[in-house]
Each structure stands twice: as structure tokens, then as C-alpha cells.
Amino acid sequence: MKVVVQRVSGAEVKVDDKVVGSIGRGYLVLLGVGNGDTREDADRIAAKLINLRIFPDENDKINLSLADVDGELLVVSQFTLYADCRKGNRPNFINAAKPDEAEALYEYFLKILREKVASVECGVFGADMKVSLVNDGPFTVILE
């Protein structure tokens, strides 16, 4: 699994010009599922994400987690995180999981997060989505 985490002051995702997910302060999470990824991988990444301390405290030190700031999550599936651009100019996605496998892990990942975080929004798996965000910092990290 590959996850791009962006600390945001707000984010939303639209499908067919309709907002399907929207958050205030929290994380926009772009999730890519690769061949061979498992539920154990999803458990590990979800735990890391929830406990990640990338919000500033009262001394402006990066020290607070999502729970510490009552943060929200917006999770968007993004198979293009597995793009292989080493040869030629057109990426191949051979390392991305097949859609049915990826969707099952995406849904499982959302389930885990919803058990631990009060506000979890999401995109629509496989849809053409338009994602808007205000990156706070900017602060972006990658988890694998």
C-alpha cells in the first residue's frame, strides 16, 4: 500500500459535480493498493496514519495527532500511485492491484479508520473524481 497524507485545513471530492466527501481540518489521504497487499498492511498503515503526529502544538512544534486536534479524514482511492515511469513516457500500472482486490482493501481500510476516527469521508472507488484541498503548511508525507 502507498499512502500520500496531506495535512489540510479543508478538502473535498466531487463526482459528476456533486460533493461526495468534504472535511475541515485533518488529512486528505490518497490510497494506492498494490499487488500482494493484505489486510495486515491496511491495519499497519491505518494505525500509523491515526497516530501520526504532524499537527503543531501551542509551541508550534510538530507534536499532535489527528485525535489531539479532533481532525477529520478524507480518503480517496488512487491507483496511479503505482505508476511505473521508468521506461518510456507512458506510465504502466502493472504493480497496482486488480480493481476488485483494490476495492475490497479500500473498503476494509475505511472500516478500520471509521472504528477509530469520528469523521471519515471518502471518494467513490473507480470514479473520475475532482479533489480540492487547502494544504496546511504545506505538509505532505508518504507511508508505504
Side-chain angles (χ1 to χ4, degrees):
M1 296 184 98
K2 292 184 180 183
V3 176
V4 175
V5 181
Q6 296 181 315
R7 187 180 74 191
V8 299
S9 57
E12 73 176 17
V13 60
K14 292 181 179 181
V15 175
D16 296 327
D17 289 323
K18 179 183 174 194
V19 175
V20 296
S22 178
I23 64 167
R25 187 178 192 197
Y27 300 152
L28 170 63
V29 178
L30 305 175
L31 172 69
V33 179
N35 289 325
D37 285 344
T38 65
R39 284 184 170 212
E40 289 76 23
D41 296 322
D43 291 335
R44 183 179 47 77
I45 294 284
K48 177 64 89 174
L49 175 67
I50 290 167
N51 294 304
L52 198 60
R53 298 185 321 169
I54 62 173
F55 286 99
D57 63 17
E58 65 279 355
N59 298 314
D60 211 27
K61 181 176 180 179
I62 303 302
N63 200 30
L64 301 178
S65 71
L66 197 62
D68 295 328
V69 300
D70 293 321
E72 301 174 286
L73 292 172
L74 175 57
V75 182
V76 176
S77 63
Q78 188 170 352
F79 79 96
T80 60
L81 292 177
Y82 277 92
D84 184 346
C85 300
R86 291 178 290 178
K87 290 185 177 179
N89 294 317
R90 182 177 178 186
N92 84 49
F93 301 99
I94 197 161
N95 295 319
K98 302 285 186 245
D100 56 334
E101 296 168 12
E103 185 172 14
L105 268 178
Y106 172 72
E107 293 297 335
Y108 177 75
F109 189 72
L110 289 170
K111 177 182 173 288
I112 295 165
L113 294 175
R114 287 182 171 135
E115 290 171 357
K116 309 236 188 260
V117 178
S119 178
V120 179
E121 297 281 319
C122 62
V124 176
F125 186 88
D128 180 24
M129 295 176 276
K130 306 301 181 211
V131 181
S132 303
L133 70 135
V134 178
N135 195 319
D136 179 21
F139 205 113
T140 302
V141 296
I142 299 171
L143 304 175
E144 291 188 67

